[in-house]
Amino acid sequence: MMGIRGMLAAAMLAVGLIATPALAAKDQAVIGMVLEPPNLDPTGGAAAAIAEVVYANLFEGLTRIDENGQVQPGLATEWKVSDDALTYTFTLRRGTTFHDGTKFDSEAVKFSLDRARAADSTNPQKVFFEPIQSVDAPAADQVVITLSHPDGLFLFHLGQAAALIVAPNSAADNGTHPIGTGPFKFVEWVPGDHVTLERTDAYAGDKPQLNRLIFRFVADPAAASAAVMSGDIDAFPNMPAPETLDQFKADPRFAVEIGTTAGETVMAVNQRRKPFGDVKVRRALAMAIDRQALVDGAMFGYGTPIGSHFAPYEAAYKDLTGAYPYDPAKAKALLAEAGYPDGFKATLKLPPPGYARRGGEIIQAQLAEIGVQVELVPVEWAQWLEQVFKGFDYDLTIVAHTEALDIDIYARGKDKYYFGYDNPAFDQVIQQLNSTIDPEQRKALYQQAQQILSDDEAAVFLFQLPKTGVRNAKLMGMWKNSPIAANDMTKAYWAE
C-alpha cells in the first residue's frame, strides 16, 4: 500500500502543486475548507460552511461570540437588560455602513430581526427569534427588543450566524453577492474553487491586518494535506486528514493546534421508520458500536466519546458515556427482545466529511457483528440536505451538529425535524430551560435534558468533533477552538 508520503506526493502532482513551500503573500491568507457553502447568506441557509466564510469577516451581529464561546459586543457597543429580563436596550456602533455605502442604523437591525422571525422566514434558526415580541427603533443608534418570556441564551443567539445583520436593499441577493458591515467585503465566488474577500477601509471598527482572504475548497483529504504542505494553502482550520497531523507536527514550518468544537457527531436514526422507533433497537445499536475504536479509526485518535448531545467542555456537561458500553452480546439480546433475533437491513447515508465516510465503514463492520446489515450510501452535501435533513428520506446517517448549545433540536417536533424524535417530557424541560436565567438552574435543566436523551438514545451519540487545525507557523491570530462555526480572520496577521 502507498504510504502517507507517497499519497501526498501523488496528490501534489495531481493538483499541479510544487514540492517546496511557496512564499506566502504577507497581505493575504489562503484558508482551506472541505465543504463549499451552498450560498453565502447565513440568514437563509443551515450549512456551517456559510458561516465559516462570512461570520465576523463579512457580516456582523449585535453581539459576537469569541474563541472561548463568550458573548462580546458587536454592532451593539453596549446593552442594558431590565430587571424582569424582558427588555433589552442596545446602543449601536456609530459611523458604520454596509459595503455598498448603505448606512447601518436601528432600522437595519429592526428589518433583520423582523425578517428572521416572520411567518414566511427561511432563517435556519428561526427558533432563536421566537421569544421576540417586538423590535423598536426609537433612535438611529438605539434598538429596544422586548421578549415575551425570559431567554437565558438570547444574547448568545444574537451572536450566531443566523442573527447577523443585513440591509433591506441587498438582503435578497446575499446568497450570491453578500453585503455586510464587516471588515472584509465580497469580491468573487468561483464555484467549485474559492471565495475571495478584501479588506474595506470604510470599516468603522478595528482594521484587520490582512488585505485579502481566499477561502479555497478542497474536499479530498490527501489533496488538502498536499496543498498545505506545499504552501498553496496557508491554513486548514479543520484538516480533513488527521492521519497526517504527526507529519505536520514534526515540521517546524507548521503549527498544529488541536482544539474543541461544538460539533456533536451522532448516528441519527429515522424514528419514523421501523425498527428505529423502538428504543431497544436504538440502545442495541449504541451498544454495538465501540466509540473509542471509532475515534481511533475514523479520527486517528482525535475526538472525545460522548453519551448525549452536549459538548464535554461545557460547564453543564454530564458524562453519560457509560450508559451503553460496548457489548455486542447484550446488543444482540436487545435486538431479540425487540423482535429482531436475526438482525435487519438498513441504509447508512454518508455526507462528504471524512469523519462520516471513514466512520461509516467502521460502524458497518461493527453492526454486522450483531446481524445488522448496513448498506453505505455516500451522498454529496447538497443531496444530504435535500434527502436527509429536509426530506427525512433515510434510515441512518452520520453527521456532526456544529451549532453551540443546540440540545433543543430534539424538541423541534417529530414532523418538523429529521430525527423524528418525540418526547413531551423532554420538550417540557427545554421549555423550562428557555425561560430560565439563573445559571445554576440552567445547569440542572441541561443535565436533565442530557439524561432524557441518553435514556431514549434519541440518536446514537458517537463523539465530539475536534478542531484539527494546521497552519503556516507564521500565520498568527486564528482560533484554536470553534465554539461556533466560524473562521474569524479579523485578528489574523503574519509574524516576521
Side-chain angles (χ1 to χ4, degrees):
M1 294 179 64
M2 184 182 294
I4 290 174
R5 292 177 184 270
M7 286 191 294
L8 288 175
M12 284 190 285
L13 289 173
V15 297
L17 302 175
I18 58 174
T20 56
L23 292 175
K26 298 305 180 185
D27 66 341
Q28 75 172 26
V30 181
I31 309 302
M33 291 173 53
V34 173
L35 298 177
E36 180 173 11
N39 65 70
L40 296 174
D41 180 4
T43 70
I50 302 172
E52 289 176 357
V53 173
V54 302
Y55 185 87
N57 301 318
L58 192 150
F59 288 108
E60 299 175 290
L62 288 179
T63 63
R64 65 183 293 171
I65 309 304
D66 67 16
E67 180 186 0
N68 299 311
Q70 300 301 306
V71 177
Q72 302 294 344
L75 287 171
T77 57
E78 60 182 4
W79 50 84
K80 296 179 181 179
V81 185
S82 62
D83 292 340
D84 61 4
L86 293 178
T87 303
Y88 289 71
T89 303
F90 296 89
T91 300
L92 305 182
R93 190 171 69 207
R94 297 179 179 178
T96 296
T97 60
F98 288 91
H99 299 146
D100 62 354
T102 302
K103 182 181 179 181
F104 163 76
D105 57 15
S106 58
E107 290 297 332
V109 175
K110 177 174 172 56
F111 167 81
S112 296
L113 297 182
D114 284 347
R115 174 175 175 260
R117 66 193 187 96
D120 60 350
S121 169
T122 58
N123 191 288
Q125 298 295 341
K126 194 174 178 180
V127 67
F128 287 177
F129 312 99
E130 179 274 330
I132 297 177
Q133 181 173 296
S134 64
V135 182
D136 297 305
D141 64 348
Q142 188 178 80
V143 171
V144 178
I145 301 176
T146 303
L147 306 185
S148 58
H149 59 78
D151 180 0
L153 284 177
F154 186 60
L155 291 172
F156 187 83
H157 285 161
L158 288 181
Q160 301 290 301
L164 298 175
I165 302 301
V166 299
N169 62 303
S170 57
D173 297 324
N174 278 336
T176 55
H177 193 89
I179 294 177
T181 60
F184 294 95
K185 63 182 179 180
F186 175 75
V187 175
E188 68 172 357
W189 180 6
V190 178
D193 193 75
H194 71 273
V195 168
T196 300
L197 309 180
E198 282 187 355
R199 182 177 64 197
T200 171
D201 292 332
Y203 184 62
D206 294 336
K207 305 293 192 298
Q209 293 195 33
L210 296 177
N211 182 59
R212 179 181 288 248
L213 302 177
I214 301 173
F215 293 92
R216 193 172 300 282
F217 314 119
V218 185
D220 180 72
S225 298
V228 176
M229 187 66 71
S230 71
D232 187 59
I233 287 177
D234 299 314
F236 224 111
N238 294 285
M239 173 58 71
E243 68 272 20
T244 65
L245 293 181
D246 285 345
Q247 182 177 5
F248 285 109
K249 288 178 181 179
D251 193 324
R253 298 173 301 166
F254 304 103
V256 176
E257 293 184 313
I258 308 301
T260 59
T261 78
E264 288 83 23
T265 305
V266 305
M267 184 172 75
V269 297
N270 190 349
Q271 295 179 42
R272 301 172 188 83
R273 294 183 177 179
K274 290 184 178 182
F276 307 113
D278 189 328
V279 67
K280 290 182 180 179
V281 171
R282 299 196 298 273
R283 289 172 177 172
L285 295 178
M287 298 188 79
I289 295 174
D290 184 339
R291 281 169 294 183
Q292 188 57 56
L294 181 64
V295 169
D296 292 341
M299 298 300 298
F300 298 86
Y302 298 100
T304 304
I306 55 174
S308 191
H309 198 99
F310 214 75
Y313 63 80
E314 293 284 358
Y317 174 72
K318 185 175 184 178
D319 187 355
L320 294 164
T321 52
Y324 305 105
Y326 176 57
D327 190 336
K330 190 168 183 179
K332 289 190 71 171
L334 278 173
L335 282 185
E337 289 180 27
Y340 300 93
D342 299 321
F344 55 85
K345 294 182 179 180
T347 58
L348 176 57
K349 289 191 174 180
L350 302 173
Y355 67 78
R357 298 283 173 89
R358 291 189 297 264
E361 294 179 356
I362 295 169
I363 287 175
Q364 180 189 46
Q366 292 181 346
L367 293 185
E369 295 182 11
I370 65 167
V372 177
Q373 304 301 318
V374 173
E375 177 189 356
L376 302 183
V377 183
V379 293
E380 294 306 310
W381 192 245
Q383 290 177 292
W384 188 91
L385 289 171
E386 189 65 30
Q387 296 175 13
V388 179
F389 189 72
K390 296 179 181 179
F392 310 156
D393 181 16
Y394 76 106
D395 291 337
L396 306 168
T397 190
I398 298 175
V399 73
H401 284 262
T402 56
E403 291 288 344
L405 295 171
D406 61 350
I407 196 170
D408 64 302
I409 60 179
Y410 293 85
R412 293 190 180 178
K414 181 177 182 179
D415 298 326
K416 295 181 180 179
Y417 204 70
Y418 80 105
F419 294 148
Y421 174 68
D422 183 27
N423 185 333
F426 179 81
D427 297 349
Q428 186 175 11
V429 172
I430 295 300
Q431 288 175 8
Q432 290 180 262
L433 184 63
N434 289 342
S435 299
T436 300
I437 301 297
D438 181 77
E440 287 304 312
Q441 292 179 19
R442 289 184 60 80
K443 179 178 180 180
L445 289 167
Y446 270 133
Q447 293 189 340
Q448 188 177 347
Q450 292 170 64
Q451 185 67 59
I452 293 173
L453 293 185
S454 174
D455 292 344
D456 289 344
E457 196 60 9
V460 180
F461 303 104
L462 301 175
F463 59 89
Q464 197 72 17
L465 195 68
K467 187 175 188 297
T468 51
V470 180
R471 58 177 170 81
N472 185 307
K474 293 184 178 181
L475 181 59
M476 315 297 287
M478 296 181 65
W479 285 9
K480 176 181 178 180
N481 301 313
S482 289
I484 60 173
N487 290 317
D488 184 345
M489 298 295 293
T490 59
K491 304 298 182 184
Y493 65 95
W494 286 98
E496 295 297 330

